[in-house]
């Protein structure tokens, strides 16, 4: 909860939030599903999601901030890529969820913080610029960062049985202050790319 409060404070401080849309399966919010809230949102809006299990496939083409009340807020779906931030998306975020799904990025300026990921595959394509993974817990699964231009920051995460792979020509990949438990990292760079790995626990 401490990390969630911190990330919400960061989003508010930098002015990403314009309107707040509430999702509540019990009917106490603006919408019953996350997908419906995304369809109604504008760039810069925050979508606050109340605890429940949301079995949805989310295609996000807007710069919205998805913020869970706590990690009893679950997104799950059995599909190739359940959560997709598509090309053109700017300043998107996913904060405080439990995610039992695959996720992909292709766009600009993402924050992924304070989530619990279970057995999912996460990928950032060559069209992704500047993504931050901070204070997440990964239980199994994989992360593949194949970014072509921007930077990636992978900080203060806990990894349990996860494979982190990077083969990029991005400006910089920083991997710091993470805890690797039965997890691996395989990082390489080309062109102007640089990989910095320090102060991690293996």
């Amino acid at each position: 909860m401490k990390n969630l409060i911190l990330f919400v404070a960061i989003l508010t401080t930098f002015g990403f939030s314009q309107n707040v849309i509430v999702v509540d399966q019990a009917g106490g919010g603006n919408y019953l599903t996350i997908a419906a809230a995304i369809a109604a949102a504008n760039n810069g809006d925050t979508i606050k999601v109340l605890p429940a299990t949301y079995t949805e496939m989310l295609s996000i083409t807007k710069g919205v901030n998805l913020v869970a009340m706590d990690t009893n807020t679950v997104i799950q779906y059995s599909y190739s890529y359940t959560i997709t931030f598509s090309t053109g998306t700017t300043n998107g975020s996913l904060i405080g969820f439990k995610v039992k799904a695959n996720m992909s990025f292709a766009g600009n300026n993402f924050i992924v913080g304070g989530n619990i990921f279970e057995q999912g595959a996460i990928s950032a394509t060559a069209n992704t610029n500047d993504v931050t993974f901070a204070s997440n817990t990964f239980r199994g699964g994989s992360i593949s960062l194949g970014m072509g231009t921007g930077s990636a920051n992978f900080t203060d995460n806990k990894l349990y049985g996860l494979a982190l792979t990077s083969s990029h020509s991005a400006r910089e990949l920083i991997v710091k202050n993470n805890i690797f438990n039965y997890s691996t990292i395989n990082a390489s760079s080309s062109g102007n790319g640089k990989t910095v790995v320090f102060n991690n626990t293996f």
Side-chain angles (χ1 to χ4, degrees):
M1 188 63 182
K2 179 180 177 182
N3 287 333
L4 177 58
I5 292 171
L6 174 61
F7 282 112
V8 172
I10 290 171
L11 294 175
T12 303
T13 299
F14 285 92
F16 293 156
S17 177
Q18 293 179 350
N19 299 306
V20 176
I21 299 170
V22 178
V23 177
D24 182 6
Q25 280 189 359
N30 304 108
Y31 295 95
L32 299 177
T33 67
I34 301 172
I38 292 170
N42 296 309
N43 288 332
D45 286 352
T46 292
I47 299 172
K48 183 171 70 174
V49 186
L50 273 62
T53 297
Y54 297 85
T55 304
E56 302 186 50
M57 186 171 67
L58 305 177
S59 179
I60 303 163
T61 58
K62 303 172 183 177
V64 295
N65 304 298
L66 300 181
V67 180
M69 289 295 293
D70 57 44
T71 51
N72 291 315
T73 309
V74 180
I75 299 174
Q76 66 177 22
Y77 200 85
S78 298
Y79 193 75
S80 179
Y81 281 103
T82 302
I83 305 173
T84 305
F85 287 87
S86 301
T87 302
T89 305
T90 301
N91 295 331
S93 64
L94 185 77
I95 307 294
F97 290 86
K98 179 179 285 186
V99 180
K100 300 180 179 181
N102 298 332
M103 183 166 60
S104 68
F105 296 94
N108 306 303
N109 305 322
F110 298 113
I111 298 173
V112 181
N115 303 285
I116 298 174
F117 292 92
E118 295 188 350
Q119 300 296 331
I122 300 172
S123 67
T125 70
N127 293 326
T128 303
N129 296 315
D130 301 324
V131 59
T132 296
F133 292 89
S135 300
N136 301 286
T137 298
F138 299 92
R139 297 172 179 163
S142 63
I143 299 176
S144 177
L145 302 176
M147 300 165 62
T149 52
S151 295
N153 194 329
F154 196 82
T155 305
D156 296 316
N157 301 286
K158 296 179 181 178
L159 295 75
Y160 299 91
L162 179 131
L164 171 62
T165 304
S166 172
S167 178
H168 65 100
S169 57
R171 293 193 302 271
E172 192 170 60
L173 167 65
I174 298 175
V175 182
K176 67 177 181 179
N177 298 337
N178 302 286
I179 299 175
F180 288 79
N181 293 280
Y182 300 99
S183 298
T184 60
I185 177 172
N186 184 352
S188 63
S189 58
S190 61
N192 295 322
K194 180 171 67 174
T195 301
V196 180
V197 180
F198 68 99
N199 203 36
N200 299 282
T201 301
F202 292 89

Coordinates of all heavy atoms in Angstrom, one line a residue, residues 29-74:
G29 N -19.3 2.5 -8.8 CA -18.5 3.4 -9.6 C -19.1 3.9 -10.8 O -20.4 3.9 -11.0
N30 N -18.3 4.4 -11.7 CA -18.8 4.9 -13.0 C -19.0 3.8 -14.0 O -19.9 3.9 -14.9 CB -17.8 5.9 -13.6 CG -17.5 7.0 -12.7 OD1 -16.4 7.1 -12.1 ND2 -18.5 7.9 -12.5
Y31 N -18.2 2.7 -13.9 CA -18.3 1.6 -14.9 C -18.1 0.3 -14.1 O -17.5 0.2 -13.1 CB -17.3 1.7 -16.0 CG -17.5 2.9 -16.9 CD1 -16.8 4.1 -16.6 CD2 -18.4 2.9 -17.9 CE1 -17.1 5.2 -17.4 CE2 -18.7 4.0 -18.7 CZ -18.0 5.2 -18.4 OH -18.2 6.3 -19.2
L32 N -18.6 -0.8 -14.7 CA -18.5 -2.1 -14.1 C -17.2 -2.9 -14.6 O -16.7 -3.8 -14.0 CB -19.7 -3.0 -14.5 CG -21.0 -2.5 -14.0 CD1 -22.1 -3.4 -14.5 CD2 -21.1 -2.4 -12.5
T33 N -16.7 -2.4 -15.8 CA -15.5 -3.1 -16.3 C -14.4 -2.1 -16.6 O -14.6 -0.9 -16.8 CB -15.8 -3.9 -17.6 OG1 -16.1 -2.9 -18.6 CG2 -17.0 -4.8 -17.4
I34 N -13.1 -2.6 -16.6 CA -12.0 -1.7 -16.9 C -12.1 -1.3 -18.4 O -11.8 -0.2 -18.7 CB -10.7 -2.5 -16.6 CG1 -10.6 -2.8 -15.1 CG2 -9.5 -1.6 -17.0 CD1 -9.4 -3.7 -14.8
A35 N -12.4 -2.3 -19.3 CA -12.5 -2.0 -20.7 C -13.5 -0.8 -21.0 O -13.2 0.1 -21.8 CB -12.9 -3.2 -21.5
A36 N -14.6 -0.8 -20.3 CA -15.6 0.3 -20.5 C -15.0 1.6 -20.1 O -15.3 2.6 -20.7 CB -16.9 -0.1 -19.8
A37 N -14.3 1.6 -19.0 CA -13.7 2.8 -18.5 C -12.6 3.4 -19.4 O -12.6 4.6 -19.7 CB -13.1 2.6 -17.1
I38 N -11.8 2.5 -20.0 CA -10.8 2.9 -20.9 C -11.5 3.5 -22.2 O -11.0 4.5 -22.7 CB -9.9 1.7 -21.3 CG1 -9.1 1.2 -20.1 CG2 -9.0 2.0 -22.5 CD1 -8.4 -0.1 -20.4
A39 N -12.5 2.9 -22.7 CA -13.2 3.4 -23.8 C -13.8 4.8 -23.6 O -13.8 5.6 -24.5 CB -14.4 2.5 -24.2
A40 N -14.2 5.1 -22.4 CA -14.7 6.4 -22.1 C -13.7 7.4 -21.7 O -13.9 8.7 -21.7 CB -15.7 6.3 -20.9
A41 N -12.4 7.0 -21.4 CA -11.4 7.9 -20.9 C -10.8 8.7 -21.9 O -10.8 8.4 -23.1 CB -10.3 7.1 -20.1
N42 N -10.2 9.8 -21.5 CA -9.3 10.7 -22.4 C -7.9 10.6 -21.9 O -7.6 10.1 -20.8 CB -9.8 12.1 -22.3 CG -11.2 12.3 -22.8 OD1 -11.5 11.9 -23.9 ND2 -12.1 12.9 -22.0
N43 N -7.0 11.0 -22.8 CA -5.6 11.1 -22.4 C -5.4 11.8 -21.1 O -5.9 12.9 -20.9 CB -4.7 11.7 -23.5 CG -4.6 10.8 -24.7 OD1 -4.7 9.6 -24.7 ND2 -4.4 11.5 -25.9
G44 N -4.6 11.2 -20.2 CA -4.3 11.9 -18.9 C -5.3 11.5 -17.8 O -5.0 11.8 -16.6
D45 N -6.3 10.8 -18.1 CA -7.3 10.4 -17.1 C -6.7 9.2 -16.2 O -5.9 8.4 -16.7 CB -8.6 9.9 -17.7 CG -9.4 11.1 -18.2 OD1 -9.1 12.2 -18.0 OD2 -10.5 10.8 -18.9
T46 N -7.2 9.2 -15.0 CA -6.8 8.1 -14.1 C -8.1 7.2 -13.9 O -9.2 7.7 -13.7 CB -6.4 8.6 -12.7 OG1 -5.1 9.2 -12.9 CG2 -6.2 7.5 -11.7
I47 N -7.8 5.9 -14.1 CA -8.9 4.9 -13.9 C -8.6 4.2 -12.6 O -7.6 3.4 -12.5 CB -9.0 3.9 -15.1 CG1 -9.3 4.7 -16.4 CG2 -10.1 2.9 -14.8 CD1 -9.3 3.9 -17.6
K48 N -9.4 4.4 -11.6 CA -9.2 3.8 -10.3 C -10.1 2.6 -10.2 O -11.3 2.6 -10.4 CB -9.6 4.8 -9.1 CG -9.4 4.2 -7.7 CD -9.6 5.3 -6.7 CE -11.0 5.7 -6.5 NZ -11.2 6.6 -5.4
V49 N -9.5 1.4 -9.9 CA -10.2 0.1 -10.0 C -10.3 -0.5 -8.6 O -9.3 -0.7 -7.9 CB -9.5 -0.8 -10.9 CG1 -10.3 -2.1 -11.1 CG2 -9.2 -0.2 -12.3
L50 N -11.6 -0.7 -8.2 CA -11.8 -1.3 -6.9 C -11.6 -2.8 -6.9 O -11.7 -3.5 -7.9 CB -13.3 -1.0 -6.4 CG -13.4 0.4 -5.7 CD1 -13.0 1.6 -6.6 CD2 -14.8 0.6 -5.2
P51 N -11.3 -3.4 -5.7 CA -11.0 -4.8 -5.6 C -12.0 -5.7 -6.2 O -13.2 -5.6 -5.8 CB -10.8 -5.0 -4.1 CG -10.4 -3.7 -3.6 CD -11.1 -2.7 -4.4
A52 N -11.6 -6.6 -7.0 CA -12.4 -7.7 -7.6 C -11.5 -8.4 -8.6 O -10.4 -8.0 -8.8 CB -13.7 -7.1 -8.3
T53 N -12.0 -9.5 -9.2 CA -11.3 -10.2 -10.3 C -11.9 -9.8 -11.6 O -13.1 -10.0 -11.8 CB -11.4 -11.7 -10.1 OG1 -10.7 -12.0 -8.9 CG2 -10.6 -12.4 -11.3
Y54 N -11.1 -9.1 -12.4 CA -11.6 -8.6 -13.7 C -11.0 -9.5 -14.8 O -9.8 -9.5 -15.1 CB -11.1 -7.2 -13.9 CG -11.7 -6.2 -12.9 CD1 -11.1 -6.0 -11.7 CD2 -12.9 -5.5 -13.2 CE1 -11.7 -5.2 -10.7 CE2 -13.5 -4.7 -12.3 CZ -12.9 -4.5 -11.0 OH -13.4 -3.7 -10.1
T55 N -11.9 -10.4 -15.4 CA -11.5 -11.3 -16.5 C -11.7 -10.5 -17.8 O -12.8 -10.6 -18.4 CB -12.3 -12.6 -16.4 OG1 -12.1 -13.1 -15.1 CG2 -11.8 -13.6 -17.4
E56 N -10.7 -9.8 -18.2 CA -10.9 -8.9 -19.4 C -9.6 -8.9 -20.2 O -8.5 -9.1 -19.7 CB -11.1 -7.5 -18.9 CG -12.3 -7.3 -18.0 CD -12.6 -5.8 -17.8 OE1 -12.6 -5.0 -18.7 OE2 -12.7 -5.4 -16.6
M57 N -9.8 -8.6 -21.5 CA -8.7 -8.4 -22.4 C -8.7 -6.9 -22.7 O -9.6 -6.3 -23.1 CB -8.8 -9.1 -23.7 CG -7.6 -9.0 -24.6 SD -7.6 -10.1 -26.0 CE -9.0 -9.4 -27.0
L58 N -7.5 -6.2 -22.3 CA -7.5 -4.8 -22.4 C -6.5 -4.3 -23.5 O -5.3 -4.6 -23.5 CB -7.0 -4.2 -21.1 CG -7.8 -4.6 -19.8 CD1 -7.1 -4.1 -18.6 CD2 -9.2 -4.2 -19.9
S59 N -7.1 -3.6 -24.4 CA -6.3 -2.9 -25.5 C -6.3 -1.4 -25.2 O -7.3 -0.8 -25.4 CB -6.8 -3.2 -26.9 OG -6.1 -2.6 -27.9
I60 N -5.1 -0.9 -24.9 CA -5.0 0.5 -24.4 C -4.3 1.3 -25.4 O -3.1 1.1 -25.6 CB -4.3 0.5 -23.0 CG1 -5.1 -0.4 -22.0 CG2 -4.3 2.0 -22.5 CD1 -4.3 -0.7 -20.8
T61 N -5.0 2.2 -26.0 CA -4.4 3.1 -27.0 C -4.4 4.6 -26.6 O -4.2 5.5 -27.4 CB -5.2 2.9 -28.4 OG1 -6.5 3.3 -28.2 CG2 -5.0 1.5 -28.9
K62 N -4.7 4.8 -25.3 CA -4.8 6.1 -24.8 C -3.8 6.3 -23.6 O -3.4 5.2 -23.0 CB -6.2 6.5 -24.3 CG -7.3 6.3 -25.3 CD -8.6 6.5 -24.6 CE -9.8 6.3 -25.6 NZ -11.1 6.4 -25.0
G63 N -3.4 7.5 -23.3 CA -2.4 7.7 -22.2 C -3.2 7.8 -20.9 O -3.4 8.9 -20.4
V64 N -3.6 6.6 -20.4 CA -4.4 6.6 -19.1 C -3.6 5.9 -18.1 O -2.6 5.1 -18.3 CB -5.7 5.8 -19.3 CG1 -6.6 6.6 -20.3 CG2 -5.5 4.4 -19.8
N65 N -3.9 6.2 -16.8 CA -3.3 5.6 -15.7 C -4.2 4.7 -15.0 O -5.2 5.1 -14.5 CB -2.8 6.7 -14.7 CG -2.0 7.8 -15.4 OD1 -0.9 7.4 -15.8 ND2 -2.4 9.0 -15.4
L66 N -3.9 3.4 -15.0 CA -4.7 2.4 -14.4 C -4.2 2.2 -13.0 O -3.0 1.7 -12.8 CB -4.7 1.1 -15.1 CG -5.2 1.1 -16.6 CD1 -5.1 -0.3 -17.2 CD2 -6.6 1.6 -16.6
V67 N -5.0 2.4 -11.9 CA -4.5 2.4 -10.6 C -5.5 1.5 -9.8 O -6.7 1.8 -9.7 CB -4.5 3.8 -9.9 CG1 -4.0 3.7 -8.5 CG2 -3.6 4.7 -10.7
A68 N -5.0 0.4 -9.2 CA -5.8 -0.4 -8.3 C -5.8 0.1 -6.9 O -4.9 0.7 -6.4 CB -5.2 -1.8 -8.3
M69 N -6.9 -0.2 -6.2 CA -7.0 0.1 -4.8 C -6.0 -0.6 -4.0 O -5.4 -0.1 -3.1 CB -8.4 -0.1 -4.3 CG -9.5 0.9 -4.8 SD -9.2 2.6 -4.3 CE -9.5 2.4 -2.5
D70 N -5.8 -1.9 -4.3 CA -4.8 -2.8 -3.7 C -4.6 -4.0 -4.6 O -5.3 -4.2 -5.6 CB -5.2 -3.1 -2.3 CG -6.5 -3.9 -2.1 OD1 -6.8 -4.8 -3.0 OD2 -7.3 -3.5 -1.2
T71 N -3.7 -4.9 -4.2 CA -3.4 -6.1 -5.0 C -4.5 -7.2 -4.9 O -4.3 -8.3 -5.4 CB -2.0 -6.6 -4.7 OG1 -1.9 -6.8 -3.3 CG2 -1.0 -5.7 -5.2
N72 N -5.6 -6.9 -4.2 CA -6.8 -7.8 -4.3 C -7.6 -7.5 -5.6 O -8.6 -8.1 -5.8 CB -7.7 -7.7 -3.1 CG -7.0 -8.3 -1.9 OD1 -6.5 -9.4 -1.9 ND2 -7.1 -7.5 -0.7
T73 N -7.1 -6.5 -6.3 CA -7.6 -6.1 -7.6 C -6.9 -6.9 -8.7 O -5.7 -6.7 -9.0 CB -7.5 -4.6 -7.9 OG1 -8.0 -3.9 -6.7 CG2 -8.3 -4.2 -9.1
V74 N -7.6 -7.9 -9.3 CA -6.9 -8.9 -10.2 C -7.4 -8.7 -11.6 O -8.6 -8.6 -11.9 CB -7.2 -10.3 -9.7 CG1 -6.5 -11.3 -10.6 CG2 -6.8 -10.5 -8.2

